[in-house]
């Protein structure tokens, strides 16, 4: 049994295949646009946010330095107070 395809069916089949190729071409262009956006905008913006975070971290660390020094001095004072109490108890 041989199935014969008419010229109009062949034409419809070819048009359908061309439509699919056009859709694939559009998808490829969309993918290229997405890659370019990712590379040129999103990566750059992420890098800017990271640099800003690093600057904020440095600023916080610098702002905390005096507080850390005060905390260390407070610990040393407490240790010295304890030592003085021990000395007073031994002398009394």
């Amino acid at each position: 049994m041989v199935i014969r395809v008419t010229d109009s069916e062949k034409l419809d089949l070819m048009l359908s295949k061309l439509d699919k190729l056009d859709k694939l071409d559009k998808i490829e262009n969309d993918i290229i646009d997405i890659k370019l956006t990712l590379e040129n905008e999103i990566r750059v913006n992420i890098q800017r946010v990271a640099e800003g975070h690093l600057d904020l971290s440095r600023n916080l660390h610098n702002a905390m330095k005096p507080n850390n020094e005060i905390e260390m001095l407070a610990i040393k004072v407490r240790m010295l107070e304890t030592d003085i109490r021990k000395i007073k108890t031994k002398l009394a």
Side-chain angles (χ1 to χ4, degrees):
M1 181 174 170
V2 175
I3 299 176
R4 294 192 179 195
V5 179
T6 65
D7 287 341
S8 68
E9 289 174 335
K10 286 181 184 178
L11 182 60
D12 288 343
L13 183 63
M14 288 175 63
L15 289 174
S16 171
K17 288 182 179 182
L18 281 174
D19 284 342
K20 288 179 184 177
L21 285 175
D22 285 342
K23 287 179 184 176
L24 282 177
D25 190 42
K26 184 183 180 321
I27 290 172
E28 286 178 1
N29 288 336
D30 288 347
I31 290 172
I32 290 170
D33 288 343
I34 290 169
K35 285 181 178 179
L36 287 173
T37 300
L38 177 66
E39 185 174 333
N40 295 328
E41 294 178 25
I42 295 175
R43 285 185 183 168
V44 171
N45 290 340
I46 289 172
Q47 184 176 0
R48 285 182 186 149
V49 168
E51 288 170 355
H53 176 74
L54 184 60
D55 289 341
L56 288 174
S57 178
R58 277 192 206 124
N59 289 343
L60 177 63
H61 182 68
N62 289 337
M64 293 296 291
K65 241 182 206 177
N67 193 25
N68 291 341
E69 291 173 9
I70 291 171
E71 197 63 37
M72 288 302 295
L73 287 173
I75 290 170
K76 287 178 183 178
V77 167
R78 285 187 207 114
M79 290 171 58
L80 290 172
E81 286 174 342
T82 304
D83 289 346
I84 297 267
R85 277 192 206 107
K86 287 179 184 177
I87 291 171
K88 280 184 177 178
T89 340
K90 285 183 181 180
L91 292 176

